[in-house]
């Protein structure tokens, strides 16, 4: 398993001790609310609200269980209301202050405006009724103030709880690591905390234990269950020099390993960082919700001012003030504030549980307009496990084994699938790779190096064609038409020999192509391999658009060409050659077993390296976007309807919205938004 690249590291060295209960929430403008503080504020506010409800009429209407109003009850209600406003409303007031400081009024500003107006008007009502003895009595909003703050605190608590449930994917990853490890020091085995392990430490892992960190086996053999990390529900045989992943479970064997990555450098920490970043980042629709809240702030303020002036002209000051206050109070956007975060939390949790790491949530919103899915061949559609089918010399001075030995010498140290195939073939033939010096990559072409004072290259047929070097085209066509990738050995502008290697199509690749086509998304194969080999794979999978013999810059150019019609492009790949095109595409999907460079360039990582997971990503993206849109309509629709009703647009037919009714509708819309978010799911 490859590490997840040189991304920012998770902050916790000892991931087994991570505590998700300390999770904070962005309350707007960078203000943070601790989960524990939020819960405490809700319960304190609710306890103070209970006596207030008993003593305060609901919009002037006396309920059977309420105490008959006396001056002392008005003052007590005012005291309780003030405590609730200052203490319970503090997160919203602080968030509004930060938003206004940034000249970007949004969600917190709209909420703060509603509760502030309710509080100020209620204090004014107490003074009017009990000090100035106004007739008729002015109706206060303490009932509405207290219940609105309680509802909003409860809603944000629910949101936090949901986010923490989504974060449990991260928490569960942290729990995969054991708390201690068996460190080998000068032949002795000592039990130490995993936080004390460092790179190059030697650790003994016994049968049935969890592997404490990423590393390489130095002695022993075993089978490892990596399903909790990679999603592969099978035991993987591990020998000396095999890589193991921290958090996976050892089988019946006992082995010793050298640690290559601990704590923040380990695979799990980097996966956790990806999930956490995905939860923290705001998508386009989340920003839209903030923009809508900002517009509602100005709209509510404008409607309230206009309503105040109109009702002042046709009625009196008390009525005009009451209606204006009502407009501002019921404008609180609780459902709108939860509309997107609840869906994001649910979507992130589902993605993590299905082996999808969403690094850029904006990519999900591009899926609905997707027309083309460009994809690499080797390692994406095929296994990438090449086996040499044929190798020959084309120069009388070299034997076939000489060609294989030189090619193996140049490929020594390379992890490219073609290089692995050649080295395996040399080993099977019991040939020693020729000692090579000054070996270096020729980008998009192959390798060059010196063996016994002569410079050799391992290149593709496309390179030979560009350099106009002569070779046996008939033999090449025969091998390539059988689906082989053919590498040529050259020196001094002469072709000395070749090695042809075959690859196997991944069993899940056919379903991916069929599913894409069913969704009217055109699959396009991009490969650096020869055209004949590419066509063999394309025909078996049903791909009609194929671009072969490509350099890395060619793939990136093709991405730009497919983007020319204005629709977003998805690129799926796993190699270094795919990194430029992954970065260029609106939706870059990296195969999890690919290179770190490719993974760092992608928006989505398929942890299980299963191309069929692209289908699940597309389904999740569409459903997530749909749920976000539905919730935005539910959240904003409440305000769009109730604000003009509260302003009195239906007053000519005798209807003015009761603020408490508005609060009830608001709470119902919040419940609907939450339920709608929780119904998000994808097929397993």
């Amino acid at each position: 398993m490859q590490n997840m690249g040189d991304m920012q590291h998770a902050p916790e060295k000892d991931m087994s001790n991570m505590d998700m209960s300390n999770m904070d929430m962005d309350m707007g403008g960078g203000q943070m609310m601790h989960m524990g503080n939020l819960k405490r504020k809700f319960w304190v506010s609710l306890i103070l609200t209970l006596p207030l409800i008993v003593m305060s009429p609901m919009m002037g209407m006396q309920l059977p269980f309420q105490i008959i109003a006396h001056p002392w009850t008005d003052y007590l209600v005012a005291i309780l209301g003030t405590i609730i406003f200052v203490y319970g409303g503090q997160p919203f007031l602080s968030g509004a202050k930060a938003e206004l400081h940034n000249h970007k009024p949004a969600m917190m500003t709209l909420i703060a405006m509603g509760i502030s107006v309710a509080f100020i008007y209620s204090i004014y009502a107490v003074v009017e009724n009990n000090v100035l003895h106004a007739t008729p009595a002015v109706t206060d909003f303490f009932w509405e103030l207290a219940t609105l703050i309680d509802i909003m605190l409860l809603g944000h608590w629910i949101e936090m709880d949901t986010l923490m449930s989504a974060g449990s994917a991260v928490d569960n990853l942290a729990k995969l690591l054991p708390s201690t490890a068996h460190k080998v020091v000068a032949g002795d085995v000592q039990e130490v905390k995993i936080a004390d392990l460092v790179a190059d430490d030697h650790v003994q892992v016994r049968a049935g234990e969890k592997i404490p960190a990423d590393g390489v086996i130095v002695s022993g053999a075993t089978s490892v269950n990596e399903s909790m990390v990679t999603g592969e529900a099978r035991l993987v045989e591990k020998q000396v020099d095999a890589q193991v992943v921290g958090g996976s479970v050892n089988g019946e064997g006992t082995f010793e390993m050298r640690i290559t990555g601990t704590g923040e450098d380990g695979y799990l920490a980097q996966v956790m960082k990806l999930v956490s970043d995905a939860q923290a980042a705001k998508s386009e629709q989340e920003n839209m919700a903030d923009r809508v809240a900002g517009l509602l702030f100005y709209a509510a303020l404008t409607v309230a001012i206009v309503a105040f002036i109109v009702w002042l002209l046709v009625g009196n000051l008390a009525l005009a003030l009451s209606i204006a206050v009502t407009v501002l109070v019921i404008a609180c956007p609780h459902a709108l504030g939860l509309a997107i975060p609840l869906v994001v939390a649910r979507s992130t949790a589902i993605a993590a549980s299905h082996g999808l790491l969403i690094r850029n949530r904006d990519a999900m919103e591009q899926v609905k307009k997707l027309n083309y899915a460009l994809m690499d061949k080797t390692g994406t559609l095929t296994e990438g496990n090449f086996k040499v089918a044929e190798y020959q010399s084309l120069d009388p001075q070299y034997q076939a084994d000489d060609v294989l030995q030189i090619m193996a010498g140049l490929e020594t140290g390379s992890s490219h699938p073609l290089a692995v195939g050649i080295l395996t073939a040399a080993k099977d033939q019991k040939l020693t790779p020729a000692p090579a010096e000054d070996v270096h990559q020729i980008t998009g072409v192959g390798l060059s190096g010196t063996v016994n004072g002569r410079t050799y290259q391992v290149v593709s047929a496309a390179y030979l064609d560009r350099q106009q070097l002569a070779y046996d085209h008939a033999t090449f066509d025969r091998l390539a038409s059988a689906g082989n990738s053919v590498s040529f050995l050259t020196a001094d502008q002469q072709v000395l020999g070749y090695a042809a290697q075959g690859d196997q199509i991944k069993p899940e690749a056919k379903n991916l192509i069929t599913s894409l086509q069913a969704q009217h998304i055109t699959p396009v194969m991009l490969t650096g391999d020869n055209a004949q080999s590419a066509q063999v794979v394309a025909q078996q999978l049903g791909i009609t658009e194929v671009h072969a013999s490509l350099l890395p810059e060619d793939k990136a150019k093709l991405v730009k060409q497919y983007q020319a019609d204005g629709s977003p492009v998805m690129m799926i790949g796993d190699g270094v050659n795919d990194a430029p095109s992954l970065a260029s595409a609106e939706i870059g999907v990296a195969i999890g077993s690919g290179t770190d460079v490719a993974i760092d360039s992608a928006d989505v990582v398929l942890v299980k390296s299963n191309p069929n997971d692209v289908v699940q990503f597309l389904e999740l993206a569409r459903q997530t976007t749909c749920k976000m849109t539905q919730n935005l309509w539910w959240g904003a629709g409440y305000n769009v309807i109730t604000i003009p009703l509260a302003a009195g647009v239906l007053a000519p037919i005798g209807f003015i919205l009761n603020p408490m009714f508005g609060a009830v509708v608001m709470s119902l819309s919040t419940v609907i938004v939450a339920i709608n978010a929780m119904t998000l799911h994808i097929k397993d």
Side-chain angles (χ1 to χ4, degrees):
M1 172 65 65
Q2 297 278 348
N3 285 339
M4 300 296 288
D6 297 326
M7 64 194 76
Q8 283 185 319
H9 298 313
E12 304 295 338
K13 286 281 187 181
D14 184 357
M15 293 183 297
S16 64
N17 295 324
M18 280 190 67
D19 184 5
M20 292 301 295
S21 66
N22 290 328
M23 187 175 180
D24 291 336
M25 175 184 179
D26 188 352
M27 298 297 293
Q31 296 291 321
M32 301 303 293
M33 171 54 60
H34 190 280
M35 176 64 174
N37 293 341
L38 198 63
K39 291 169 61 177
R40 183 166 59 251
K41 285 182 181 293
F42 167 74
W43 284 115
V44 171
S45 298
L46 180 62
I47 292 171
L48 295 176
T49 298
L50 296 177
L52 185 148
I53 289 177
V54 173
M55 293 182 288
S56 176
M58 183 180 69
M59 282 304 296
M61 182 172 62
Q62 198 79 31
L63 299 178
F65 60 83
Q66 291 181 318
I67 298 173
I68 298 176
H70 288 92
W72 66 268
T73 60
D74 286 348
Y75 291 128
L76 183 55
V77 165
I79 293 172
L80 293 173
T82 300
I83 297 173
I84 293 171
F85 172 72
V86 174
Y87 180 73
Q90 180 271 328
F92 311 108
L93 298 173
S94 298
K97 180 180 178 182
E99 287 179 354
L100 292 174
H101 178 75
N102 294 328
H103 305 291
K104 293 181 179 179
M107 203 70 65
M108 295 298 108
T109 305
L110 191 52
I111 295 173
M113 178 180 67
I115 63 176
S116 298
V117 169
F119 172 71
I120 294 171
Y121 185 80
S122 297
I123 295 296
Y124 157 77
V126 171
V127 173
E128 282 286 310
N129 294 335
N130 296 283
V131 178
L132 303 178
H133 304 289
T135 304
V138 179
T139 302
D140 66 62
F141 282 84
F142 278 122
W143 171 296
E144 290 72 30
L145 168 68
T147 53
L148 285 175
I149 288 178
D150 290 345
I151 290 172
M152 291 174 189
L153 286 173
L154 176 61
H156 282 84
W157 178 13
I158 292 173
E159 179 186 1
M160 284 293 294
D161 189 56
T162 306
L163 288 172
M164 288 182 67
S165 296
S168 65
V170 178
D171 199 21
N172 289 337
L173 284 173
K175 292 177 181 177
L176 290 178
L177 291 177
S179 58
T180 60
H182 308 296
K183 183 177 179 180
V184 180
V185 181
D188 293 330
V189 178
Q190 304 174 359
E191 187 167 302
V192 299
K193 293 182 178 180
I194 63 168
D196 297 331
L197 296 176
V198 297
D200 293 327
D201 278 350
H202 281 224
V203 172
Q204 183 186 86
V205 182
R206 299 166 185 171
E209 291 184 338
K210 291 181 179 180
I211 297 174
D214 296 358
V216 176
I217 296 179
V218 296
S219 66
T222 188
S223 57
V224 176
N225 182 348
E226 298 180 338
S227 61
M228 291 297 291
V229 178
T230 67
E232 292 289 342
R234 61 186 177 88
L235 291 175
V236 181
E237 297 297 325
K238 301 289 185 179
Q239 306 288 336
V240 173
D241 294 334
Q243 292 183 337
V244 290
V245 180
S248 52
V249 181
N250 185 28
E252 296 181 355
T254 296
F255 65 89
E256 186 175 315
M257 59 178 281
R258 176 178 58 82
I259 290 179
T260 59
T262 63
E264 62 186 22
D265 297 315
Y267 170 81
L268 281 180
Q270 297 178 57
V271 170
M272 290 163 65
K273 179 61 179 173
L274 284 178
V275 177
S276 298
D277 286 348
Q279 291 175 335
K282 278 196 172 184
S283 70
E284 180 180 326
Q285 287 194 284
E286 285 179 284
N287 291 325
M288 183 185 298
D290 278 336
R291 290 194 295 270
V292 170
L295 292 174
L296 285 174
F297 167 75
Y298 290 115
L301 197 58
T302 301
V303 171
I305 293 172
V306 172
F308 176 79
I309 294 173
V310 171
W311 284 102
L312 182 62
L313 295 175
V314 301
N316 55 59
L317 176 62
L319 178 61
L321 192 59
S322 175
I323 289 178
V325 169
T326 300
V327 169
L328 297 175
V329 169
I330 69 169
C332 291
H334 194 57
L336 180 61
L338 298 179
I340 303 302
L342 287 178
V343 176
V344 168
R346 175 68 175 167
S347 177
T348 304
I350 292 175
S353 66
H354 284 76
L356 300 170
L357 300 182
I358 313 296
R359 302 183 65 194
N360 177 11
R361 287 206 306 270
D362 279 335
M364 300 183 74
E365 295 166 23
Q366 300 286 343
V367 168
K368 59 186 176 183
K369 300 177 286 185
L370 189 63
N371 290 327
Y372 294 99
L374 282 55
M375 58 197 74
D376 180 46
K377 179 177 75 71
T378 304
T380 300
L381 297 174
T382 64
E383 296 287 358
N385 297 324
F386 286 92
K387 184 176 182 180
V388 173
E390 182 179 319
Y391 65 96
Q392 291 292 340
S393 169
L394 300 177
D395 187 300
Q397 296 182 14
Y398 292 84
Q399 299 295 322
D401 285 351
D402 296 333
V403 170
L404 187 60
Q405 280 184 292
I406 295 172
M407 294 179 76
L410 296 176
E411 298 285 13
T412 299
S414 174
S415 59
H416 191 282
L418 289 173
V420 174
I422 289 175
L423 289 168
T424 301
K427 182 178 180 181
D428 291 342
Q429 296 298 320
K430 298 182 179 180
L431 299 174
T432 302
E437 299 176 344
D438 192 27
V439 178
H440 58 275
Q441 292 275 349
I442 307 174
T443 305
V445 174
L447 292 169
S448 177
T450 302
V451 176
N452 295 326
R454 190 176 187 186
T455 300
Y456 296 88
Q457 297 85 30
V458 177
V459 298
S460 64
Y463 174 82
L464 299 182
D465 291 335
R466 288 194 295 270
Q467 298 296 317
Q468 299 182 343
L469 300 182
Y471 63 99
D472 188 344
H473 288 268
T475 299
F476 171 77
D477 291 340
R478 173 180 62 82
L479 295 169
S481 61
N484 291 299
S485 296
V486 185
S487 301
F488 291 90
L489 179 67
T490 69
D492 303 323
Q493 299 295 297
Q494 297 292 321
V495 179
L496 307 180
Y498 65 83
Q501 304 185 62
D503 194 7
Q504 297 295 316
I505 295 175
K506 288 185 176 180
E508 307 89 356
K510 178 63 177 177
N511 185 66
L512 167 63
I513 302 305
T514 303
S515 298
L516 290 174
Q517 292 169 336
Q519 298 175 52
H520 305 291
I521 299 172
T522 303
V524 181
M525 181 190 294
L526 309 183
T527 178
D529 210 344
N530 62 78
Q532 293 94 325
S533 178
Q535 284 295 342
V536 170
V537 175
Q539 289 172 6
Q540 293 182 47
L541 294 176
I543 299 175
T544 57
E545 294 193 32
V546 180
H547 300 272
S549 302
L550 300 176
L551 299 174
E553 55 267 30
D554 295 331
K555 291 184 179 181
K557 289 177 182 177
L558 280 167
V559 169
K560 297 294 184 184
Q561 290 179 20
Y562 280 96
Q563 290 171 329
D565 65 354
S567 62
V569 169
M570 176 168 66
M571 175 66 195
I572 310 168
D574 73 330
V576 174
N577 287 357
D578 301 321
S581 48
L582 286 170
S584 299
E586 284 83 0
I587 308 171
V589 180
I591 300 296
S593 61
T595 64
D596 295 343
V597 176
I599 289 170
D600 285 345
S601 303
D603 302 304
V604 182
V605 179
L606 308 183
V607 176
K608 294 184 286 186
S609 302
N610 183 348
N612 199 42
D613 284 347
V614 172
V615 179
Q616 290 195 322
F617 163 70
L618 294 176
E619 180 186 356
L620 178 62
R622 287 196 177 94
Q623 290 203 32
T624 298
T625 303
C626 180
K627 291 294 184 183
M628 286 181 174
T629 302
Q630 291 172 358
N631 275 6
L632 277 177
W633 276 107
W634 276 112
Y638 155 79
N639 297 85
V640 171
I641 294 172
T642 56
I643 287 176
L645 291 179
V649 294
L650 297 182
I653 63 173
F655 179 82
I656 298 178
L657 184 69
N658 185 302
M660 192 56 201
F661 178 77
V664 172
V665 174
M666 179 192 67
S667 62
L668 288 177
S669 66
T670 302
V671 172
I672 292 172
V673 162
I675 293 175
N676 191 46
M678 291 302 102
T679 58
L680 175 64
H681 69 282
I682 59 175
K683 297 178 182 178
D684 291 322

